[in-house]
Amino acid sequence: MDDHWRQIARELPRFQARAEAGMTDSLHLERPTGKTVRVDGKTVPEMETVWPPPGDPTPRFGKVQSQQSYPSQPEVGGGTVTLAVFEVHIPVGADIIPRVDDVFVVDESQDQALKGSRFRVRVDPSKTWRTARRFNCEEYTA
């Protein structure tokens, strides 16, 4: 390992602490059970909370942010849909490994518009020298 990478390795804990200082949204993570339930006349995946673990009252924190300044509006099936891509950041050392199709739920936020929002994990891009775990998500309204 050359000096450049040694310096990054030395500084990484400080960079991670700085990233975590901005994670002020209280979150929990739900995972599909593989079963479905009826909600308001719709069949939707049954979800169970996996983070924090059941019975653990300690809040978990992260950060939600839009990945784009403006949503895209592609044409789909002869109509236009609005797509916005979000990221949910959690600490590198978080005690969970989110999976594709898990859903982050915002319990509390400085931005009251985010409270109650749900974001489905689409991609967990891996990265060496992470300061945070950043998940590409889509807002989930079901």
Side-chain angles (χ1 to χ4, degrees):
M1 186 184 298
D2 66 26
D3 288 341
H4 174 75
W5 297 114
R6 280 192 191 94
Q7 183 177 355
I8 290 174
R10 262 193 317 272
E11 297 294 328
L12 190 60
R14 187 171 61 86
F15 297 152
Q16 290 170 341
R18 237 172 121 178
E20 289 178 26
M23 297 180 192
T24 59
D25 296 325
S26 176
L27 309 169
H28 71 270
L29 185 70
E30 297 179 349
R31 180 164 290 153
T33 65
K35 300 176 186 173
T36 57
V37 293
R38 299 281 292 171
V39 176
D40 297 328
K42 297 178 185 175
T43 301
V44 297
E46 179 182 70
M47 306 294 278
E48 65 181 348
T49 298
V50 294
W51 187 67
D56 183 346
T58 308
R60 300 303 198 268
F61 292 95
K63 177 174 77 171
V64 176
Q65 70 181 38
S66 175
Q67 203 177 44
Q68 306 164 296
S69 300
Y70 299 96
S72 64
Q73 294 187 307
E75 192 172 306
V76 177
T80 302
V81 297
T82 302
L83 298 175
V85 179
F86 292 86
E87 285 185 346
V88 176
H89 301 192
I90 63 173
V92 170
D95 55 345
I96 187 69
I97 299 174
R99 301 176 188 163
V100 170
D101 289 332
D102 283 357
V103 176
F104 285 104
V105 181
V106 180
D107 299 315
E108 296 291 335
S109 177
Q110 297 296 316
D111 180 351
Q112 290 302 303
L114 285 174
K115 189 174 179 178
S117 294
R118 302 168 64 82
F119 299 95
R120 185 189 340 238
V121 175
R122 299 313 314 155
V123 178
D124 173 14
S126 295
K127 178 181 174 183
T128 304
W129 311 112
R130 288 182 183 208
T131 55
R133 297 190 66 204
R134 295 173 177 88
F135 296 89
N136 292 339
C137 298
E138 63 187 8
E139 191 164 14
Y140 181 62
T141 57

